[in-house]
Amino acid sequence: MRDILIATANKGKAAEISEIFKNSDFHPYFLFEYPELLSIVIRENAKDFEGNALIKALLIGQASGLLTLADDSGLCVDFLNGAPGVLSARYSAERTDEANNKKLLTALAGVPLTERNCHYHCSVAIFNPVDNFIETTTGLWPGKVALESRGNKSFGYAPVFLAENFNYEKTNAELDPDELININHRGLAFRAALEILKNKY
C-alpha cells in the first residue's frame, strides 16, 4: 500500500476521492490530516483548471515530500461564455455555495432550460517530488443549470446542476453521492489519475 496526499481540505471531495481509491494499492490522505500544511498560502491564479491543479500539486508536493495529487474543478455555462469557470469557488463576493448558486441563477434569470447547457470540468495534477514526475488528467460532465436550487445531499453547484445522465430531471443535490461518483467529472479525472499511478508505480 502506497501513501499519497490529496491536496484538498474539502471533506465532501475527500469522501468521493476515498471511494475512488478504495480497493487500490494507494491510500489517500488529505490536507486536514496534515495541519502544518493547511497554513500554506496557495494562489490559484492560473487561467485554466489544469494550471491551478498544477500550482497546488507542486506547492504541496514540495512542502510535504509526498506523492501528491491536486484538482481544480468548476462549472462552465455556455450562455455565460464559460463562466463561472475557474472562478467557480469565488464567483460571489461571499464565496459560499449558497451565494454562488444564487448569483448563477440570477445571471440566468429568464433563460429557458434549453439554453442552460453547461458542463463540469475537473483537472487533476500528479506530482512526485522524489522523481519529479508530473502528469495531468481531465474529466468533463455535461448537464444543464436548473431553473431553481433543489436538494441538500451535496455541495458546490450540485443544487443547480442537472446531469445529462438523469435526463435533467433531478439536481445532483437530490441524488445520493454514491450514484454520481462513477459518472461525474471528479470521478472521471481521478480514476484516470489512478490508472496513471498504477502504470507508473
Side-chain angles (χ1 to χ4, degrees):
M1 184 70 70
R2 179 161 186 163
D3 293 342
I4 58 174
L5 177 59
I6 311 295
T8 184
N10 183 312
K11 293 191 176 182
K13 284 186 180 182
E16 290 187 355
I17 296 165
S18 294
E19 189 65 25
I20 293 167
F21 282 88
K22 188 172 66 176
N23 301 322
S24 77
D25 293 328
F26 298 88
H27 185 280
Y29 289 90
F30 302 91
L31 286 184
F32 49 76
E33 299 174 274
Y34 291 82
E36 69 277 12
L37 297 177
L38 288 173
S39 61
I40 294 175
V41 177
I42 301 174
R43 293 183 174 85
E44 298 178 50
N45 53 12
K47 294 182 179 179
D48 56 33
F49 295 103
E50 183 180 67
N52 282 334
L54 284 166
I55 288 171
K56 286 187 275 191
L58 290 169
L59 194 59
I60 297 299
Q62 288 165 351
S64 67
L66 299 171
L67 176 57
T68 300
L69 276 67
D71 82 295
D72 191 44
S73 57
L75 186 68
C76 304
V77 181
D78 295 357
F79 189 85
L80 301 178
N81 298 314
V86 293
L87 299 177
S88 290
R90 48 194 187 277
Y91 185 47
S92 65
E94 299 87 345
R95 299 189 177 191
T96 65
D97 290 349
E98 184 178 359
N100 288 341
N101 287 325
K102 184 177 179 180
K103 181 176 179 178
L104 180 60
L105 291 176
T106 298
L108 293 174
V111 178
L113 191 62
T114 53
E115 296 180 35
R116 289 172 170 248
N117 294 333
C118 64
H119 68 272
Y120 268 123
H121 182 123
C122 179
S123 287
V124 172
I126 304 167
F127 172 56
N128 188 349
V130 176
D131 59 8
N132 286 315
F133 176 74
I134 298 174
E135 187 60 87
T136 61
T137 66
T138 296
L140 301 177
W141 193 25
K144 291 181 183 291
V145 178
L147 297 175
E148 60 184 1
S149 180
R150 302 197 312 263
N152 58 9
K153 293 184 178 181
S154 193
F155 59 96
Y157 290 92
V160 298
F161 183 81
L162 299 167
E164 181 181 64
N165 311 73
F166 300 98
N167 297 316
Y168 312 113
E169 292 175 353
K170 289 186 177 182
T171 70
N172 283 4
E174 294 177 297
L175 296 161
D176 291 328
D178 291 346
E179 296 181 76
L180 306 178
I181 192 58
N182 291 322
I183 57 175
N184 72 12
H185 55 305
R186 190 169 295 109
L188 293 170
F190 270 98
R191 278 197 300 278
L194 176 57
E195 288 304 310
I196 291 172
L197 293 175
K198 287 178 180 177
N199 292 330
K200 178 69 177 177
Y201 300 108

